[in-house]
Amino acid sequence: MKSKLRNSLQENKFVFTAETSPPDSGNKEVIIKQVECLKYLADAVNVTDGAGAKSHMSALATAVILAQNSIEPVLQFTTRDRNRIAIQGDLLGGWALNVPNILCLYGDEVKGGDQPETREVRDLDTISLLKTAHDIKINKTYPSGRKIEDAPEFFIGGADTPFEVKDDFDGANLIKKINAGVEFFQTQYAFDEVVLKNYMMKLNKLGITDKAYFIIGLGVIRSAKSARWMNKNLFGINIPEKIITRIENSNDEKIEGIKICIELIEKYKLISGVSGVHLMGYKQEQDIASVISNFI
């Protein structure tokens, strides 16, 4: 089993990844219905891991359900909830059940969730999690040295946030992640095309885009109100005021949000170093499918 997402990127195809959140349900039909609109459209679908520090259906189980229904998953792994032994077991189990792509993340802190008394595990930090997955893949052993038969060949991802770069920016954090095993990055929302263009230009000059693929985060802005909320409450997000004003002055704010997303994708496809777009939005699978269908 190989990652089709990796193959598409290696073939220089502009990829579309999407995102879904496991449901508050024990019924697999719920998740199938939730993501079926993305089948044959998205190159892969991310499965969030306890987003918002709240319990949902297991991310691993959800990813396996996607794989069983011919939708390639990207399983998000956070450092928050599992110790290294459990992480290693889930990495092998996911691969055995046709989950070829993983995205290694820090994860939301429990103080922001609905059970703030929860104890965070954080046995590994993000870099250690990346190294664990990479070493299992390359060395075919556990960190203890024990041999692994039929070792996974994960396609390993990390997170990034485009921002206004200064002259002294050297990409050290990105290089650290690449050295730990990252092969692709999926970024936080990037709605400011000027900031993204300058950011990618710098990464190109530093040679970082030669070492990893960059899939840029976007989404459908539902309303001017939600855009302002995102700017205020979500880390690393900057939706330009001109976009918010355009949505606010439109006849249908969600349709205008879809139009803006499509327009930005057209522009991002022309930026050197951008290998694809990662479309996010809670319970917005149908909107995401509508956007991707314009490029198929």
PDB file of all heavy atoms in Angstrom, residues 5-38:
ATOM      1  N   LEU A   5      -1.523  10.272  -2.397  1.00  0.00           N
ATOM      2  CA  LEU A   5      -1.234  11.698  -2.248  1.00  0.00           C
ATOM      3  C   LEU A   5       0.225  11.971  -2.556  1.00  0.00           C
ATOM      4  O   LEU A   5       0.553  12.914  -3.293  1.00  0.00           O
ATOM      5  CB  LEU A   5      -1.564  12.145  -0.816  1.00  0.00           C
ATOM      6  CG  LEU A   5      -1.230  13.602  -0.458  1.00  0.00           C
ATOM      7  CD1 LEU A   5      -2.018  14.576  -1.334  1.00  0.00           C
ATOM      8  CD2 LEU A   5      -1.503  13.863   1.022  1.00  0.00           C
ATOM      9  N   ARG A   6       1.109  11.153  -2.035  1.00  0.00           N
ATOM     10  CA  ARG A   6       2.536  11.309  -2.326  1.00  0.00           C
ATOM     11  C   ARG A   6       2.804  11.161  -3.816  1.00  0.00           C
ATOM     12  O   ARG A   6       3.534  11.955  -4.413  1.00  0.00           O
ATOM     13  CB  ARG A   6       3.361  10.275  -1.553  1.00  0.00           C
ATOM     14  CG  ARG A   6       4.860  10.340  -1.872  1.00  0.00           C
ATOM     15  CD  ARG A   6       5.563   9.059  -1.487  1.00  0.00           C
ATOM     16  NE  ARG A   6       5.925   9.018  -0.083  1.00  0.00           N
ATOM     17  CZ  ARG A   6       5.677   7.990   0.720  1.00  0.00           C
ATOM     18  NH1 ARG A   6       5.023   6.932   0.270  1.00  0.00           N
ATOM     19  NH2 ARG A   6       6.074   8.014   1.977  1.00  0.00           N
ATOM     20  N   ASN A   7       2.184  10.152  -4.429  1.00  0.00           N
ATOM     21  CA  ASN A   7       2.384   9.923  -5.861  1.00  0.00           C
ATOM     22  C   ASN A   7       1.943  11.129  -6.690  1.00  0.00           C
ATOM     23  O   ASN A   7       2.631  11.539  -7.632  1.00  0.00           O
ATOM     24  CB  ASN A   7       1.606   8.684  -6.310  1.00  0.00           C
ATOM     25  CG  ASN A   7       2.195   7.396  -5.769  1.00  0.00           C
ATOM     26  OD1 ASN A   7       3.339   7.372  -5.299  1.00  0.00           O
ATOM     27  ND2 ASN A   7       1.419   6.332  -5.804  1.00  0.00           N
ATOM     28  N   SER A   8       0.801  11.712  -6.342  1.00  0.00           N
ATOM     29  CA  SER A   8       0.299  12.870  -7.072  1.00  0.00           C
ATOM     30  C   SER A   8       1.246  14.050  -6.959  1.00  0.00           C
ATOM     31  O   SER A   8       1.504  14.759  -7.940  1.00  0.00           O
ATOM     32  CB  SER A   8      -1.092  13.257  -6.555  1.00  0.00           C
ATOM     33  OG  SER A   8      -2.040  12.256  -6.854  1.00  0.00           O
ATOM     34  N   LEU A   9       1.773  14.274  -5.764  1.00  0.00           N
ATOM     35  CA  LEU A   9       2.711  15.374  -5.551  1.00  0.00           C
ATOM     36  C   LEU A   9       4.013  15.139  -6.311  1.00  0.00           C
ATOM     37  O   LEU A   9       4.581  16.065  -6.901  1.00  0.00           O
ATOM     38  CB  LEU A   9       2.979  15.548  -4.057  1.00  0.00           C
ATOM     39  CG  LEU A   9       1.806  16.141  -3.261  1.00  0.00           C
ATOM     40  CD1 LEU A   9       2.017  15.931  -1.764  1.00  0.00           C
ATOM     41  CD2 LEU A   9       1.634  17.622  -3.567  1.00  0.00           C
ATOM     42  N   GLN A  10       4.481  13.900  -6.302  1.00  0.00           N
ATOM     43  CA  GLN A  10       5.714  13.573  -7.036  1.00  0.00           C
ATOM     44  C   GLN A  10       5.534  13.765  -8.541  1.00  0.00           C
ATOM     45  O   GLN A  10       6.498  14.065  -9.255  1.00  0.00           O
ATOM     46  CB  GLN A  10       6.135  12.134  -6.726  1.00  0.00           C
ATOM     47  CG  GLN A  10       6.676  11.954  -5.318  1.00  0.00           C
ATOM     48  CD  GLN A  10       7.014  10.507  -4.996  1.00  0.00           C
ATOM     49  OE1 GLN A  10       6.516   9.568  -5.638  1.00  0.00           O
ATOM     50  NE2 GLN A  10       7.854  10.300  -3.994  1.00  0.00           N
ATOM     51  N   GLU A  11       4.303  13.621  -9.005  1.00  0.00           N
ATOM     52  CA  GLU A  11       4.001  13.815 -10.428  1.00  0.00           C
ATOM     53  C   GLU A  11       3.666  15.272 -10.752  1.00  0.00           C
ATOM     54  O   GLU A  11       3.221  15.586 -11.854  1.00  0.00           O
ATOM     55  CB  GLU A  11       2.831  12.910 -10.820  1.00  0.00           C
ATOM     56  CG  GLU A  11       3.170  11.422 -10.772  1.00  0.00           C
ATOM     57  CD  GLU A  11       1.948  10.535 -10.923  1.00  0.00           C
ATOM     58  OE1 GLU A  11       0.824  11.092 -11.102  1.00  0.00           O
ATOM     59  OE2 GLU A  11       2.096   9.306 -10.851  1.00  0.00           O
ATOM     60  N   ASN A  12       3.892  16.147  -9.753  1.00  0.00           N
ATOM     61  CA  ASN A  12       3.656  17.595  -9.901  1.00  0.00           C
ATOM     62  C   ASN A  12       2.202  17.937 -10.182  1.00  0.00           C
ATOM     63  O   ASN A  12       1.896  18.948 -10.823  1.00  0.00           O
ATOM     64  CB  ASN A  12       4.549  18.180 -11.013  1.00  0.00           C
ATOM     65  CG  ASN A  12       6.017  18.125 -10.639  1.00  0.00           C
ATOM     66  OD1 ASN A  12       6.395  18.408  -9.504  1.00  0.00           O
ATOM     67  ND2 ASN A  12       6.853  17.745 -11.598  1.00  0.00           N
ATOM     68  N   LYS A  13       1.295  17.118  -9.691  1.00  0.00           N
ATOM     69  CA  LYS A  13      -0.129  17.418  -9.780  1.00  0.00           C
ATOM     70  C   LYS A  13      -0.484  18.389  -8.656  1.00  0.00           C
ATOM     71  O   LYS A  13      -0.024  18.233  -7.531  1.00  0.00           O
ATOM     72  CB  LYS A  13      -0.950  16.141  -9.646  1.00  0.00           C
ATOM     73  CG  LYS A  13      -2.456  16.389  -9.641  1.00  0.00           C
ATOM     74  CD  LYS A  13      -3.227  15.105  -9.358  1.00  0.00           C
ATOM     75  CE  LYS A  13      -4.729  15.391  -9.225  1.00  0.00           C
ATOM     76  NZ  LYS A  13      -5.485  14.169  -8.842  1.00  0.00           N
ATOM     77  N   PHE A  14      -1.266  19.405  -8.963  1.00  0.00           N
ATOM     78  CA  PHE A  14      -1.764  20.322  -7.933  1.00  0.00           C
ATOM     79  C   PHE A  14      -2.854  19.586  -7.168  1.00  0.00           C
ATOM     80  O   PHE A  14      -3.882  19.225  -7.729  1.00  0.00           O
ATOM     81  CB  PHE A  14      -2.316  21.596  -8.566  1.00  0.00           C
ATOM     82  CG  PHE A  14      -2.609  22.693  -7.583  1.00  0.00           C
ATOM     83  CD1 PHE A  14      -1.624  23.606  -7.233  1.00  0.00           C
ATOM     84  CD2 PHE A  14      -3.871  22.810  -7.009  1.00  0.00           C
ATOM     85  CE1 PHE A  14      -1.893  24.633  -6.325  1.00  0.00           C
ATOM     86  CE2 PHE A  14      -4.152  23.824  -6.103  1.00  0.00           C
ATOM     87  CZ  PHE A  14      -3.158  24.733  -5.760  1.00  0.00           C
ATOM     88  N   VAL A  15      -2.622  19.354  -5.877  1.00  0.00           N
ATOM     89  CA  VAL A  15      -3.519  18.496  -5.115  1.00  0.00           C
ATOM     90  C   VAL A  15      -4.522  19.297  -4.295  1.00  0.00           C
ATOM     91  O   VAL A  15      -4.305  20.469  -3.971  1.00  0.00           O
ATOM     92  CB  VAL A  15      -2.737  17.544  -4.180  1.00  0.00           C
ATOM     93  CG1 VAL A  15      -1.767  16.685  -4.975  1.00  0.00           C
ATOM     94  CG2 VAL A  15      -2.016  18.317  -3.077  1.00  0.00           C
ATOM     95  N   PHE A  16      -5.614  18.622  -3.965  1.00  0.00           N
ATOM     96  CA  PHE A  16      -6.625  19.174  -3.073  1.00  0.00           C
ATOM     97  C   PHE A  16      -6.825  18.208  -1.907  1.00  0.00           C
ATOM     98  O   PHE A  16      -7.225  17.056  -2.119  1.00  0.00           O
ATOM     99  CB  PHE A  16      -7.957  19.370  -3.803  1.00  0.00           C
ATOM    100  CG  PHE A  16      -7.933  20.485  -4.802  1.00  0.00           C
ATOM    101  CD1 PHE A  16      -7.572  20.246  -6.125  1.00  0.00           C
ATOM    102  CD2 PHE A  16      -8.268  21.778  -4.428  1.00  0.00           C
ATOM    103  CE1 PHE A  16      -7.553  21.276  -7.049  1.00  0.00           C
ATOM    104  CE2 PHE A  16      -8.244  22.817  -5.341  1.00  0.00           C
ATOM    105  CZ  PHE A  16      -7.881  22.567  -6.657  1.00  0.00           C
ATOM    106  N   THR A  17      -6.509  18.669  -0.722  1.00  0.00           N
ATOM    107  CA  THR A  17      -6.849  17.886   0.460  1.00  0.00           C
ATOM    108  C   THR A  17      -7.973  18.611   1.192  1.00  0.00           C
ATOM    109  O   THR A  17      -8.104  19.828   1.117  1.00  0.00           O
ATOM    110  CB  THR A  17      -5.636  17.682   1.392  1.00  0.00           C
ATOM    111  OG1 THR A  17      -5.089  18.961   1.767  1.00  0.00           O
ATOM    112  CG2 THR A  17      -4.554  16.862   0.696  1.00  0.00           C
ATOM    113  N   ALA A  18      -8.785  17.843   1.872  1.00  0.00           N
ATOM    114  CA  ALA A  18      -9.917  18.388   2.614  1.00  0.00           C
ATOM    115  C   ALA A  18      -9.788  17.961   4.071  1.00  0.00           C
ATOM    116  O   ALA A  18      -8.801  17.324   4.457  1.00  0.00           O
ATOM    117  CB  ALA A  18     -11.227  17.900   2.012  1.00  0.00           C
ATOM    118  N   GLU A  19     -10.775  18.324   4.857  1.00  0.00           N
ATOM    119  CA  GLU A  19     -10.728  17.989   6.280  1.00  0.00           C
ATOM    120  C   GLU A  19     -12.114  17.603   6.756  1.00  0.00           C
ATOM    121  O   GLU A  19     -13.115  18.174   6.340  1.00  0.00           O
ATOM    122  CB  GLU A  19     -10.223  19.192   7.081  1.00  0.00           C
ATOM    123  CG  GLU A  19     -10.109  18.946   8.578  1.00  0.00           C
ATOM    124  CD  GLU A  19      -9.588  20.162   9.322  1.00  0.00           C
ATOM    125  OE1 GLU A  19      -8.357  20.320   9.395  1.00  0.00           O
ATOM    126  OE2 GLU A  19     -10.426  20.948   9.828  1.00  0.00           O
ATOM    127  N   THR A  20     -12.155  16.595   7.640  1.00  0.00           N
ATOM    128  CA  THR A  20     -13.405  16.224   8.293  1.00  0.00           C
ATOM    129  C   THR A  20     -13.132  15.982   9.764  1.00  0.00           C
ATOM    130  O   THR A  20     -11.997  15.659  10.149  1.00  0.00           O
ATOM    131  CB  THR A  20     -14.036  14.983   7.634  1.00  0.00           C
ATOM    132  OG1 THR A  20     -15.404  14.867   8.037  1.00  0.00           O
ATOM    133  CG2 THR A  20     -13.295  13.709   8.013  1.00  0.00           C
ATOM    134  N   SER A  21     -14.145  16.150  10.571  1.00  0.00           N
ATOM    135  CA  SER A  21     -14.026  15.921  12.008  1.00  0.00           C
ATOM    136  C   SER A  21     -14.831  14.685  12.384  1.00  0.00           C
ATOM    137  O   SER A  21     -15.996  14.561  11.974  1.00  0.00           O
ATOM    138  CB  SER A  21     -14.534  17.128  12.801  1.00  0.00           C
ATOM    139  OG  SER A  21     -13.732  18.263  12.552  1.00  0.00           O
ATOM    140  N   PRO A  22     -14.256  13.757  13.156  1.00  0.00           N
ATOM    141  CA  PRO A  22     -15.014  12.591  13.594  1.00  0.00           C
ATOM    142  C   PRO A  22     -16.297  13.013  14.310  1.00  0.00           C
ATOM    143  O   PRO A  22     -16.309  14.006  15.042  1.00  0.00           O
ATOM    144  CB  PRO A  22     -14.046  11.892  14.551  1.00  0.00           C
ATOM    145  CG  PRO A  22     -12.687  12.292  14.063  1.00  0.00           C
ATOM    146  CD  PRO A  22     -12.855  13.716  13.612  1.00  0.00           C
ATOM    147  N   PRO A  23     -17.371  12.265  14.100  1.00  0.00           N
ATOM    148  CA  PRO A  23     -18.662  12.660  14.675  1.00  0.00           C
ATOM    149  C   PRO A  23     -18.793  12.282  16.147  1.00  0.00           C
ATOM    150  O   PRO A  23     -18.019  11.473  16.673  1.00  0.00           O
ATOM    151  CB  PRO A  23     -19.652  11.864  13.829  1.00  0.00           C
ATOM    152  CG  PRO A  23     -18.895  10.616  13.480  1.00  0.00           C
ATOM    153  CD  PRO A  23     -17.472  11.055  13.263  1.00  0.00           C
ATOM    154  N   ASP A  24     -19.790  12.861  16.777  1.00  0.00           N
ATOM    155  CA  ASP A  24     -20.170  12.464  18.134  1.00  0.00           C
ATOM    156  C   ASP A  24     -21.184  11.334  17.996  1.00  0.00           C
ATOM    157  O   ASP A  24     -22.385  11.501  18.251  1.00  0.00           O
ATOM    158  CB  ASP A  24     -20.760  13.655  18.890  1.00  0.00           C
ATOM    159  CG  ASP A  24     -19.732  14.747  19.113  1.00  0.00           C
ATOM    160  OD1 ASP A  24     -18.572  14.419  19.424  1.00  0.00           O
ATOM    161  OD2 ASP A  24     -20.069  15.927  18.971  1.00  0.00           O
ATOM    162  N   SER A  25     -20.694  10.211  17.541  1.00  0.00           N
ATOM    163  CA  SER A  25     -21.567   9.080  17.219  1.00  0.00           C
ATOM    164  C   SER A  25     -20.742   7.795  17.224  1.00  0.00           C
ATOM    165  O   SER A  25     -19.524   7.827  17.009  1.00  0.00           O
ATOM    166  CB  SER A  25     -22.191   9.286  15.829  1.00  0.00           C
ATOM    167  OG  SER A  25     -22.866   8.124  15.391  1.00  0.00           O
ATOM    168  N   GLY A  26     -21.421   6.681  17.468  1.00  0.00           N
ATOM    169  CA  GLY A  26     -20.787   5.379  17.362  1.00  0.00           C
ATOM    170  C   GLY A  26     -21.224   4.638  16.113  1.00  0.00           C
ATOM    171  O   GLY A  26     -21.031   3.433  15.991  1.00  0.00           O
ATOM    172  N   ASN A  27     -21.794   5.370  15.168  1.00  0.00           N
ATOM    173  CA  ASN A  27     -22.335   4.784  13.945  1.00  0.00           C
ATOM    174  C   ASN A  27     -21.462   5.188  12.764  1.00  0.00           C
ATOM    175  O   ASN A  27     -21.378   6.369  12.425  1.00  0.00           O
ATOM    176  CB  ASN A  27     -23.771   5.273  13.739  1.00  0.00           C
ATOM    177  CG  ASN A  27     -24.436   4.658  12.519  1.00  0.00           C
ATOM    178  OD1 ASN A  27     -23.799   3.979  11.709  1.00  0.00           O
ATOM    179  ND2 ASN A  27     -25.732   4.897  12.379  1.00  0.00           N
ATOM    180  N   LYS A  28     -20.814   4.225  12.121  1.00  0.00           N
ATOM    181  CA  LYS A  28     -19.911   4.558  11.021  1.00  0.00           C
ATOM    182  C   LYS A  28     -20.631   5.160   9.824  1.00  0.00           C
ATOM    183  O   LYS A  28     -20.018   5.873   9.022  1.00  0.00           O
ATOM    184  CB  LYS A  28     -19.107   3.330  10.586  1.00  0.00           C
ATOM    185  CG  LYS A  28     -19.896   2.252   9.884  1.00  0.00           C
ATOM    186  CD  LYS A  28     -18.969   1.120   9.460  1.00  0.00           C
ATOM    187  CE  LYS A  28     -19.727   0.045   8.701  1.00  0.00           C
ATOM    188  NZ  LYS A  28     -18.805  -1.054   8.273  1.00  0.00           N
ATOM    189  N   GLU A  29     -21.933   4.901   9.697  1.00  0.00           N
ATOM    190  CA  GLU A  29     -22.684   5.461   8.578  1.00  0.00           C
ATOM    191  C   GLU A  29     -22.729   6.981   8.643  1.00  0.00           C
ATOM    192  O   GLU A  29     -22.855   7.656   7.623  1.00  0.00           O
ATOM    193  CB  GLU A  29     -24.106   4.898   8.549  1.00  0.00           C
ATOM    194  CG  GLU A  29     -24.184   3.394   8.314  1.00  0.00           C
ATOM    195  CD  GLU A  29     -23.514   2.962   7.023  1.00  0.00           C
ATOM    196  OE1 GLU A  29     -23.624   3.705   6.021  1.00  0.00           O
ATOM    197  OE2 GLU A  29     -22.896   1.880   7.015  1.00  0.00           O
ATOM    198  N   VAL A  30     -22.603   7.530   9.846  1.00  0.00           N
ATOM    199  CA  VAL A  30     -22.618   8.980  10.007  1.00  0.00           C
ATOM    200  C   VAL A  30     -21.414   9.601   9.314  1.00  0.00           C
ATOM    201  O   VAL A  30     -21.533  10.590   8.584  1.00  0.00           O
ATOM    202  CB  VAL A  30     -22.639   9.371  11.507  1.00  0.00           C
ATOM    203  CG1 VAL A  30     -22.487  10.883  11.675  1.00  0.00           C
ATOM    204  CG2 VAL A  30     -23.926   8.898  12.161  1.00  0.00           C
ATOM    205  N   ILE A  31     -20.235   9.014   9.527  1.00  0.00           N
ATOM    206  CA  ILE A  31     -19.021   9.570   8.919  1.00  0.00           C
ATOM    207  C   ILE A  31     -19.017   9.310   7.411  1.00  0.00           C
ATOM    208  O   ILE A  31     -18.571  10.155   6.626  1.00  0.00           O
ATOM    209  CB  ILE A  31     -17.737   9.017   9.586  1.00  0.00           C
ATOM    210  CG1 ILE A  31     -16.505   9.753   9.065  1.00  0.00           C
ATOM    211  CG2 ILE A  31     -17.576   7.537   9.425  1.00  0.00           C
ATOM    212  CD1 ILE A  31     -16.460  11.215   9.379  1.00  0.00           C
ATOM    213  N   ILE A  32     -19.541   8.171   6.972  1.00  0.00           N
ATOM    214  CA  ILE A  32     -19.605   7.888   5.534  1.00  0.00           C
ATOM    215  C   ILE A  32     -20.474   8.929   4.825  1.00  0.00           C
ATOM    216  O   ILE A  32     -20.092   9.485   3.789  1.00  0.00           O
ATOM    217  CB  ILE A  32     -20.146   6.462   5.280  1.00  0.00           C
ATOM    218  CG1 ILE A  32     -19.138   5.424   5.788  1.00  0.00           C
ATOM    219  CG2 ILE A  32     -20.430   6.256   3.794  1.00  0.00           C
ATOM    220  CD1 ILE A  32     -19.667   3.999   5.783  1.00  0.00           C
ATOM    221  N   LYS A  33     -21.635   9.223   5.408  1.00  0.00           N
ATOM    222  CA  LYS A  33     -22.530  10.227   4.834  1.00  0.00           C
ATOM    223  C   LYS A  33     -21.877  11.602   4.832  1.00  0.00           C
ATOM    224  O   LYS A  33     -22.046  12.391   3.896  1.00  0.00           O
ATOM    225  CB  LYS A  33     -23.833  10.259   5.619  1.00  0.00           C
ATOM    226  CG  LYS A  33     -24.874  11.211   5.047  1.00  0.00           C
ATOM    227  CD  LYS A  33     -26.175  11.153   5.843  1.00  0.00           C
ATOM    228  CE  LYS A  33     -27.204  12.103   5.262  1.00  0.00           C
ATOM    229  NZ  LYS A  33     -28.475  12.075   6.032  1.00  0.00           N
ATOM    230  N   GLN A  34     -21.079  11.868   5.866  1.00  0.00           N
ATOM    231  CA  GLN A  34     -20.435  13.171   6.032  1.00  0.00           C
ATOM    232  C   GLN A  34     -19.400  13.448   4.945  1.00  0.00           C
ATOM    233  O   GLN A  34     -19.247  14.588   4.499  1.00  0.00           O
ATOM    234  CB  GLN A  34     -19.763  13.182   7.420  1.00  0.00           C
ATOM    235  CG  GLN A  34     -19.253  14.504   7.919  1.00  0.00           C
ATOM    236  CD  GLN A  34     -18.841  14.381   9.390  1.00  0.00           C
ATOM    237  OE1 GLN A  34     -19.665  14.123  10.256  1.00  0.00           O
ATOM    238  NE2 GLN A  34     -17.564  14.551   9.668  1.00  0.00           N
ATOM    239  N   VAL A  35     -18.689  12.405   4.520  1.00  0.00           N
ATOM    240  CA  VAL A  35     -17.560  12.620   3.598  1.00  0.00           C
ATOM    241  C   VAL A  35     -17.804  12.124   2.178  1.00  0.00           C
ATOM    242  O   VAL A  35     -16.949  12.323   1.312  1.00  0.00           O
ATOM    243  CB  VAL A  35     -16.269  11.955   4.145  1.00  0.00           C
ATOM    244  CG1 VAL A  35     -15.882  12.550   5.475  1.00  0.00           C
ATOM    245  CG2 VAL A  35     -16.431  10.441   4.255  1.00  0.00           C
ATOM    246  N   GLU A  36     -18.951  11.498   1.922  1.00  0.00           N
ATOM    247  CA  GLU A  36     -19.143  10.902   0.605  1.00  0.00           C
ATOM    248  C   GLU A  36     -19.094  11.937  -0.521  1.00  0.00           C
ATOM    249  O   GLU A  36     -18.724  11.623  -1.656  1.00  0.00           O
ATOM    250  CB  GLU A  36     -20.468  10.131   0.566  1.00  0.00           C
ATOM    251  CG  GLU A  36     -21.701  10.970   0.795  1.00  0.00           C
ATOM    252  CD  GLU A  36     -22.966  10.111   0.841  1.00  0.00           C
ATOM    253  OE1 GLU A  36     -22.869   8.896   0.569  1.00  0.00           O
ATOM    254  OE2 GLU A  36     -24.048  10.659   1.150  1.00  0.00           O
ATOM    255  N   CYS A  37     -19.424  13.194  -0.205  1.00  0.00           N
ATOM    256  CA  CYS A  37     -19.390  14.238  -1.227  1.00  0.00           C
ATOM    257  C   CYS A  37     -17.964  14.537  -1.700  1.00  0.00           C
ATOM    258  O   CYS A  37     -17.764  15.124  -2.770  1.00  0.00           O
ATOM    259  CB  CYS A  37     -20.039  15.519  -0.712  1.00  0.00           C
ATOM    260  SG  CYS A  37     -19.251  16.234   0.748  1.00  0.00           S
ATOM    261  N   LEU A  38     -16.962  14.146  -0.899  1.00  0.00           N
ATOM    262  CA  LEU A  38     -15.566  14.409  -1.238  1.00  0.00           C
ATOM    263  C   LEU A  38     -14.923  13.264  -2.023  1.00  0.00           C
ATOM    264  O   LEU A  38     -13.824  13.418  -2.546  1.00  0.00           O
ATOM    265  CB  LEU A  38     -14.758  14.660   0.036  1.00  0.00           C
ATOM    266  CG  LEU A  38     -15.136  15.936   0.811  1.00  0.00           C
ATOM    267  CD1 LEU A  38     -14.504  15.919   2.195  1.00  0.00           C
ATOM    268  CD2 LEU A  38     -14.700  17.170   0.039  1.00  0.00           C
TER     269      LEU A  38
END
